[in-house]
């Protein structure tokens, strides 16, 4: 795998973790932010998938 793809997957994982924390920690009082962080994670996963399927010229 390319390093850029791995980086994007790592960023997506961090965003998913933050979304889960915002969703399941009622003391933070920000359930709406879980959707924002979750949507960002999906965007990064899509970018990683596109980057992983693009063939670079050698």
């Amino acid at each position: 795998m390319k390093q850029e793809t791995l980086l994007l997957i790592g960023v997506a994982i961090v965003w998913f973790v933050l979304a889960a924390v915002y969703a399941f920690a009622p003391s933070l009082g920000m359930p709406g932010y879980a959707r924002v962080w979750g949507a960002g994670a999906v965007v990064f996963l899509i970018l990683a998938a596109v980057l992983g399927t693009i063939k670079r010229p050698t």
Side-chain angles (χ1 to χ4, degrees):
M1 262 187 157
K2 299 174 205 147
Q3 290 180 350
E4 295 89 0
T5 306
L6 289 174
L7 178 65
L8 284 173
I9 291 171
V11 170
I13 289 170
V14 169
W15 280 57
F16 272 126
V17 168
L18 288 171
V21 168
Y22 281 129
F24 296 117
S27 62
L28 295 175
M30 295 189 274
Y33 282 93
R35 290 186 195 117
V36 174
W37 286 97
V42 170
V43 168
F44 280 113
L45 280 177
I46 291 170
L47 287 173
V50 169
L51 190 62
T53 59
I54 293 176
K55 302 222 180 202
R56 293 186 182 174
T58 56

